[in-house]
Amino acid sequence: MILGSINPAVLLAALMVAATPILLAAIGELVVEKSGVLNLGVEGMMIMGACVGFIIAVNSGSPLLGFIGAALGGMALSLLFALLTQALMTNQVASGLALTLFGLGLSALLGQKYVGITPPRTPKLDLGVLSDIPFLGRAVFSHDIVVYLTIALVAAVWWFLKYSRAGMILRAVGENHDAAHGLGYHVKRVRVLAIMFGGACAGLGGAYLSLIRVPQWTEGMTVGAGWIALALVVFASWRPWRAMAGAYLFGGVVVLQLNLQAAGVRIPVEYLSMSPYLITIFVLVLISSGKARGSLNAPGSLNRPFHASS
Amino acid sequence: MKKLISAAVLGAALASPSLADTTKVGFVYIGPVGDHGWTYTHDVARLALEEEFGDAIETTYVENVEYGADAERVMTQMALSGTDLIFATSFGYGPDMNTVAARFPDVAFEHATGYIQETDNVSLYNARFYEGRAVIGHIAGKMTETNKIGYIASFPIPEVIMGINSAYLHAKAVNPDVEFNVVWAYSWYDPAQEAAAAEALIEQGADIIMQHTDSTAPLTVAQDAGIYAFGQASDMSAFAPEAHLTGILDVWAPYYAERVQAVIDGTWEAGDVWHGIVDGMVGFAPMSDLIPEDVRAEAEGMIEAIAAGEYHPFTGPINKQDGTPWLADGEIASDGDLLTMDFYVEGITSEIPN
């Protein structure tokens, strides 16, 4: 009787929505880390995307333009990180943390005039008969288009990394940048492109929050989603489908505990509320532990600076 | 980052020469001024002060200040730069404020919703939000059709528990079948989480949502689902005009003006006030036309009765959740009981998390 009054189809539908912003950010960061760069600025790029996407959607009246703007906004911020770490050879961890702080501050400044405005709404996709299928219709075929595009993006990234030539070069750069350089690949160019992709994805994730999920702009509205996305990448051992499973698990925990509470099930709420963050801390500790890196399938050159002369 | 910038700006602003008779007022905020909830209402009051006192005062604020070392640093900096009166607007600043106040006996300190008063330059103020919750509980009890009301709570502290009890008692009074589903968000402000909580409550059959969290996200969810909801702290009707029934407003300006005037006059003394509807600290957003006319009249009547002191929302007989008597018939809860409330009243079926 514990789950008696919770409709599993609704739960599944809710967790897909809850997982989408962190999955978008995570899949971008996964590509960045596969190229050997650790960008801890995901939270900052997400909030920039949320802010820029919102501003553009409000002014243009088009959610689509908003999402494009969000991707560009996240990308613009990531270029700053690329400049710092790839051209100026700064420490990636410090630069990433600075990027988060900078993004939070800049978005608060840019978004000041946009507090309290309702953005143009993104319609749910009309999937016709699919939406009428019992159970699956409600659970899987009742979402906005971004949910499906995100899944398509995961598939695309998986295919890109596994089968495409460019993807293999990217992985080579991430595993051993000296060898890749020796083979004549442009290590920095590959990394800058990966960083830009990561920024665009994080921006889209942020815009999903400000344009669809909430939908409204307030400063700091991502409330740590970027950090969960970072943890997901490690949690997923840098594998795209596992990142998706992880995002659904994280989203599922959040949604499930709220639904259990609403259904009046007596559960230790405080522990469940804490759990996504506990897992995040745990995997972030793992990232920094030298021994665990190898067993976790971490890219060999992750977080190591590259200069052609070294 | 933003904190650093605002602290720097603050330092620069306070370091600049100003007229000797200008009274400097500093504000320490827990959230961003743009949250449209708690912090926003304090900043509205700060702006009202500037309007009212003009050149006689100078106000500064620092937002997103964490409890602990951060708060202590910000308040110390304010005091060092000649601030005469400091308002810290969140519960958790208590220990930090008292530490700083002990070091600066000539500065007046005002702590919102606090309870620690170790020196005679620390003043406490709070609002009787449970009075407002009684009114919206009454409206909800009258208007619900499913007899299920969803309540998004933040943290299990007396303030929040008091609100749930007050709303429940008054919904129950007009609708014996009413049930409250409480979801704890463990956050004062997390739009995505609050939206998910609202969805979960609606899925469980709630057709009216109340919130004790600060974002407007639950209102939007309610509107999309075609049900009703109440705003929080500020007038949130613009976010969901088809769902927003009314909301409890935090009105700090009159109290702030009174305290600033006292500092200017040199008559400021530490106090400990708990203001309600009658003092204007608890207000209401305009009652929507969505509320049936008779219910609106009843709500207005209740507001007047509370303001006139004829009615107290916690008047016995009231039993605790486990059935033990709390208030006898006609007995009125003491402020001390309310401020330490850690139990649900009889009829609420869920449990308070530890």
Side-chain angles (χ1 to χ4, degrees):
Chain A
M1 187 52 210
I2 283 191
L3 296 173
S5 53
I6 296 178
N7 180 347
V10 173
L11 196 63
L12 195 58
L15 80 84
M16 283 178 79
V17 171
T20 293
I22 48 177
L23 178 54
L24 271 168
I27 203 71
E29 177 68 11
L30 187 143
V31 171
V32 177
E33 293 189 14
K34 269 291 184 190
S35 80
V37 179
L38 181 65
N39 184 355
L40 295 182
V42 181
E43 176 85 2
M45 301 186 297
M46 274 187 98
I47 193 80
M48 269 306 278
C51 179
V52 173
F54 189 87
I55 292 173
I56 292 180
V58 165
N59 286 321
S60 69
S62 155
L64 176 65
L65 285 179
F67 273 101
I68 294 172
L72 293 175
M75 200 188 279
L77 201 64
S78 73
L79 272 174
L80 187 64
F81 176 82
L83 173 75
L84 288 171
T85 58
Q86 301 307 305
L88 302 175
M89 306 282 289
T90 57
N91 179 294
Q92 291 177 8
V93 170
S95 306
L97 290 172
L99 198 71
T100 286
L101 294 171
F102 180 64
L104 285 168
L106 185 63
S107 63
L109 182 69
L110 290 176
Q112 262 176 359
K113 298 240 171 356
Y114 290 85
V115 174
I117 296 176
T118 306
R121 302 300 294 271
T122 314
K124 295 213 165 179
L125 209 53
D126 184 8
L127 290 169
V129 293
L130 283 179
S131 308
D132 298 332
I133 303 174
F135 188 81
L136 282 183
R138 178 76 174 88
V140 184
F141 298 114
S142 64
H143 298 295
D144 53 85
I145 190 164
V146 182
V147 170
Y148 305 111
L149 288 180
T150 304
I151 298 170
L153 186 67
V154 173
V157 165
W158 168 77
W159 178 86
F160 171 81
L161 288 175
K162 196 166 169 74
Y163 295 111
S164 80
R165 182 174 166 78
M168 286 179 208
I169 294 171
L170 184 136
R171 279 195 289 144
V173 166
E175 280 308 329
N176 188 333
H177 49 216
D178 293 320
H181 177 66
L183 287 170
Y185 296 125
H186 294 275
V187 173
K188 301 218 155 165
R189 187 189 299 165
V190 169
R191 286 187 172 171
V192 169
L193 288 172
I195 291 169
M196 288 168 67
F197 177 76
C201 288
L204 287 174
Y208 189 78
L209 284 173
S210 67
L211 290 178
I212 298 182
R213 187 73 187 118
V214 174
Q216 152 209 348
W217 163 253
T218 43
E219 53 185 272
M221 66 180 296
T222 45
V223 210
W227 296 108
I228 291 186
L230 264 170
L232 264 184
V233 177
V234 187
F235 183 74
S237 310
W238 292 268
R239 291 184 175 94
W241 290 117
R242 274 201 210 172
M244 185 165 133
Y248 281 14
L249 188 69
F250 270 61
V253 170
V254 170
V255 171
L256 180 64
Q257 64 102 347
L258 291 171
N259 275 277
L260 286 172
Q261 284 196 57
V265 178
R266 289 174 184 175
I267 45 157
V269 183
E270 48 277 47
Y271 298 115
L272 271 177
S273 299
M274 239 190 276
S275 54
Y277 303 96
L278 285 181
I279 299 174
T280 305
I281 293 169
F282 177 67
V283 290
L284 284 174
V285 168
L286 277 186
I287 287 188
S288 51
S289 133
K291 272 186 202 157
R293 280 171 80 119
S295 58
L296 280 168
N297 183 37
S301 294
L302 184 61
N303 196 19
R304 303 219 167 105
F306 172 76
H307 191 273
S309 65
S310 60
Chain B
M1 183 71 168
K2 208 168 65 221
K3 221 173 333 182
L4 292 180
I5 294 172
S6 36
V9 170
L10 173 78
L14 294 174
S16 63
S18 58
L19 295 171
D21 57 355
T22 305
T23 300
K24 291 182 183 171
V25 188
F27 289 84
V28 183
Y29 297 146
I30 183 68
V33 295
D35 67 356
H36 247 266
W38 180 256
T39 295
Y40 171 80
T41 62
H42 287 281
D43 204 55
V44 165
R46 181 187 67 84
L47 294 170
L49 282 182
E50 292 204 326
E51 182 88 1
E52 185 176 339
F53 289 91
D55 291 340
I57 64 163
E58 204 178 286
T59 71
T60 44
Y61 69 89
V62 183
E63 52 185 346
N64 294 316
V65 180
E66 308 259 348
Y67 303 146
D70 244 13
E72 209 177 305
R73 183 180 55 76
V74 168
M75 283 187 255
T76 304
Q77 196 176 1
M78 281 182 174
L80 280 175
S81 348
T83 306
D84 304 292
L85 174 60
I86 297 175
F87 290 96
T89 66
S90 186
F91 174 76
Y93 293 137
D96 320 317
M97 173 164 262
N98 279 278
T99 310
V100 180
R103 271 188 251 138
F104 297 93
D106 297 334
V107 178
F109 289 85
E110 293 269 352
H111 185 205
T113 71
Y115 65 96
I116 310 170
Q117 234 173 345
E118 287 166 2
T119 51
D120 58 7
N121 57 337
V122 174
S123 212
L124 305 176
Y125 64 101
N126 196 0
R128 296 178 185 269
F129 294 117
Y130 67 87
E131 295 181 347
R133 300 250 167 222
V135 175
I136 65 173
H138 178 93
I139 298 173
K142 282 272 184 174
M143 289 186 69
T144 178
E145 281 166 18
T146 60
N147 295 328
K148 283 188 176 172
I149 299 188
Y151 202 111
I152 305 172
S154 48
F155 295 94
I157 58 172
E159 170 75 36
V160 178
I161 294 166
M162 200 192 313
I164 296 170
N165 283 335
S166 178
Y168 176 76
L169 286 171
H170 294 85
K172 177 96 174 170
V174 292
N175 182 347
D177 298 325
V178 82
E179 279 175 42
F180 267 42
N181 278 354
V182 182
V183 167
W184 298 93
Y186 278 90
S187 168
W188 287 109
Y189 174 75
D190 184 342
Q193 172 103 335
E194 292 170 46
E199 279 167 1
L201 288 165
I202 293 166
E203 176 55 27
Q204 290 301 320
D207 65 350
I208 294 187
I209 302 278
M210 289 184 191
Q211 63 181 82
H212 203 141
T213 49
D214 285 334
S215 96
T216 57
L219 281 167
T220 315
V221 171
Q223 174 152 319
D224 287 352
I227 65 157
Y228 299 128
F230 295 95
Q232 160 89 356
S234 68
D235 183 356
M236 294 179 168
S237 53
F239 293 94
E242 292 151 43
H244 186 273
L245 294 176
T246 179
I248 302 163
L249 304 186
D250 309 355
V251 189
W252 307 106
Y255 177 74
Y256 286 1
E258 178 194 322
R259 303 306 277 171
V260 168
Q261 190 61 50
V263 168
I264 292 174
D265 297 343
T267 57
W268 187 91
E269 266 181 19
D272 180 359
V273 300
W274 201 16
H275 283 336
I277 294 175
V278 62
D279 315 279
M281 200 178 263
V282 176
F284 292 88
M287 301 262 172
S288 161
D289 292 341
L290 300 164
I291 309 175
E293 209 158 321
D294 55 326
V295 179
R296 231 182 304 162
E298 288 165 20
E300 304 281 4
M302 187 187 257
I303 293 171
E304 277 168 30
I306 293 174
E310 291 158 9
Y311 177 65
H312 189 289
F314 288 103
T315 304
I318 300 175
N319 289 347
K320 295 187 181 181
Q321 188 178 29
D322 58 13
T324 55
W326 173 42
L327 297 176
D329 197 1
E331 191 186 350
I332 287 174
S334 70
D335 284 358
D337 267 8
L338 292 177
L339 289 168
T340 55
M341 191 176 253
D342 60 355
F343 58 87
Y344 280 148
V345 294
E346 195 171 42
I348 299 181
T349 49
S350 55
E351 275 177 19
I352 300 173
N354 300 318

